[in-house]
Amino acid sequence: MSNKTITIEILRYNPETDEKPGYGSFEIPYVEAWSMLDALEYIKDELDSSLSYRWSCRMAVCGSCGMVINGTPKLGCETFLRDFYPNAIKVEPLANFPIERDLVVDAEDFINKLESVKPYIINAMEKPVEEGVNKQTPEQLGLYKQFSMCINCMLCYSACPQMGLNPLFTGPAVIALGHRYNLDSRDEGYDQRTEVIQGKNGVWSCTFVGYCSEVCPKNVDPAAAINQNKLQGSQDWALSFLMPRKGAK
Amino acid sequence: MSRRPYVRPMKRTWFMDHPFYRNYMVREASCVFDALYAVNLFWGILQLREGAEAWSSWLSFQANPLMILFTVVTLGMTLYHAVTYFDMTPRVLPQFIRKKVADPIVNKLMYAGLAGISVVILAAAAMV
């Protein structure tokens, strides 16, 4: 290991002793190949074993290690010290979530919202096995594939100022996942998701800041999902006047 | 061990914290200038109804250096709004259209539409 070092400032919070969060500073060896997750691991192993953070796959697949690095929501595993060296790096937990401890946030509200949008295929006519599988063309798959890439890392929730202003807002990832199933040719759950997607705290709480799509590590483009649903909702609303018996789709 | 999650309050000046938020607020603020300019134009129409004298006093008010400055700023804000709006429009289109037409093409069509409408309005103004 070289003699070079880099300073990591971490927003610490211990619910048992701290009234409110405060920064803790750590000077660690600078290793060019290290990600932020490697740096946190070093701190936990060598400097302060009480440091708390979430991680699992180390390869931007699991979505556990979302954190705010120098003001930008990022995955710790794909953020490298070399992009900041020799400057100090400031690490905070995801914004717009209650802090459980250090970099660990309380995601319960997110999980509840995720459940509310029914992110699974709803088939109104359950087919008997004898009738075979539900077929889907590559074109039909292509329609929703981008929205199915979400890893629930919640970076988009941290990036969304509307989330901070209205914590009841359903939010980018959940609406993108609802949209993913609505666009699926095998799904018939559109009506069941409408209340969440078009409701008071659905897409209309979004003002298209668009930062959610910028920070998304999987290019899901949740801002597009939300705003496509605004257009869809307006269409349904207009059609409900033209075809009152059929109602909104 | 007891849970005591800490909720960080949102600052009133949250939009100053990141360039992305600042640009967003400029985009949103452009509507204030456009609204004021629309009020000015509406007032002009009312003055036109009042008669020739009122109309020419409205015209001379438009020549006031402060009004010219306001008009130039409004034009700049409107153009900024148009550019950012055109950048966002392709993403609002239904997914089946978005899969068929590339975003840059939709973006260029928006500019073509703006140019077309501008030509029609300018031609109509030239004929009067």
Side-chain angles (χ1 to χ4, degrees):
Chain A
M1 234 175 250
S2 68
N3 297 324
K4 289 183 192 165
T5 61
I6 187 165
T7 305
I8 314 280
E9 285 174 43
I10 304 174
L11 191 65
R12 306 291 306 271
Y13 173 64
N14 182 344
E16 289 176 323
T17 56
D18 301 343
E19 206 41 57
K20 57 180 196 167
Y23 282 97
S25 187
F26 299 94
E27 189 153 325
I28 61 162
Y30 168 69
V31 181
E32 204 190 356
W34 273 7
S35 67
M36 180 50 71
L37 208 52
D38 294 318
L40 294 176
E41 231 164 279
Y42 178 87
I43 294 169
K44 191 168 178 71
D45 288 348
E46 307 290 337
L47 304 175
D48 184 348
S49 61
S50 73
L51 180 67
S52 303
Y53 56 97
R54 287 196 179 108
W55 66 282
S56 179
C57 77
R58 315 179 318 280
M59 51 181 87
V61 174
C62 75
S64 302
C65 64
M67 52 191 76
V68 177
I69 301 173
N70 276 3
T72 303
K74 281 171 172 292
L75 294 178
C77 62
E78 58 169 10
T79 305
F80 292 92
L81 301 187
R82 58 175 177 267
D83 295 328
F84 301 89
Y85 185 80
N87 300 320
I89 312 175
K90 209 177 227 185
V91 187
E92 296 160 272
L94 291 176
N96 306 328
F97 288 97
I99 306 176
E100 199 74 63
R101 185 187 175 114
D102 295 342
L103 299 176
V104 177
V105 295
D106 177 11
E108 194 185 347
D109 181 57
F110 171 77
I111 300 295
N112 289 339
K113 284 171 180 163
L114 189 56
E115 279 177 13
S116 75
V117 84
K118 305 191 179 184
Y120 39 82
I121 289 176
I122 297 169
N123 215 331
M125 299 280 285
E126 293 280 355
K127 275 203 312 186
V129 180
E130 305 86 70
E131 285 181 30
V133 295
N134 288 303
K135 285 184 182 162
Q136 193 166 56
T137 65
E139 200 184 347
Q140 287 170 325
L141 167 73
L143 201 59
Y144 67 78
K145 193 173 179 206
Q146 149 195 3
F147 301 116
S148 74
M149 303 310 276
C150 175
I151 56 173
N152 300 343
C153 67
M154 308 186 292
L155 294 191
C156 53
Y157 282 69
S158 183
C160 175
Q162 290 303 329
M163 211 63 232
L165 296 167
N166 172 23
L168 295 174
F169 176 34
T170 309
V174 168
I175 292 173
L177 279 165
H179 195 46
R180 173 250 175 275
Y181 287 95
N182 280 343
L183 289 172
D184 194 315
S185 58
R186 300 163 295 180
D187 182 87
E188 291 169 50
Y190 181 88
D191 291 340
Q192 295 185 43
R193 297 189 191 99
T194 297
E195 200 183 328
V196 175
I197 291 179
Q198 299 293 341
K200 189 163 168 267
N201 296 306
V203 293
W204 301 100
S205 285
C206 162
T207 55
F208 210 159
V209 178
Y211 196 40
C212 52
S213 295
E214 291 292 314
V215 302
C216 177
K218 295 287 159 190
N219 297 318
V220 171
D221 200 352
I226 295 175
N227 288 284
Q228 287 175 9
N229 274 290
K230 286 183 190 167
L231 194 66
Q232 180 71 52
S234 310
Q235 258 174 42
D236 292 349
W237 178 78
L239 280 175
S240 69
F241 288 99
L242 294 172
M243 300 185 286
R245 252 190 311 161
K246 210 177 159 206
K249 201 169 174 185
Chain B
M1 183 166 163
S2 62
R3 283 187 63 198
R4 202 161 56 87
Y6 183 86
V7 178
R8 283 169 289 177
M10 194 154 176
K11 283 192 289 179
R12 272 168 175 272
T13 55
W14 58 268
F15 49 86
M16 297 304 289
D17 292 349
H18 200 285
F20 205 95
Y21 295 154
R22 286 198 287 272
N23 292 342
Y24 159 76
M25 284 307 256
V26 172
R27 185 189 96 203
E28 297 293 293
S30 61
C31 73
V32 175
F33 290 86
D34 284 341
L36 287 174
Y37 199 76
V39 168
N40 176 44
L41 285 183
F42 186 67
W43 185 48
I45 292 170
L46 291 183
Q47 294 307 297
L48 187 61
R49 229 188 86 205
E50 290 293 306
E53 206 177 307
W55 172 245
S56 59
S57 83
W58 184 80
L59 280 182
S60 60
F61 174 63
Q62 302 306 306
N64 185 308
L66 282 177
M67 273 310 283
I68 291 173
L69 177 69
F70 170 65
T71 307
V72 170
V73 171
T74 304
L75 179 66
M77 291 295 262
T78 308
L79 288 175
Y80 180 75
H81 190 105
V83 170
T84 52
Y85 179 72
F86 291 180
D87 283 344
M88 287 152 72
T89 311
R91 295 156 71 191
V92 181
L93 293 176
Q95 187 71 356
F96 70 93
I97 296 178
R98 201 176 174 211
K99 282 279 151 193
K100 289 200 180 87
V101 193
D103 288 359
I105 293 174
V106 177
N107 185 252
K108 289 192 179 87
L109 282 174
M110 299 282 289
Y111 282 103
L114 177 68
I117 291 168
S118 301
V119 165
V120 169
I121 291 175
L122 288 174
M127 281 198 303
V128 174

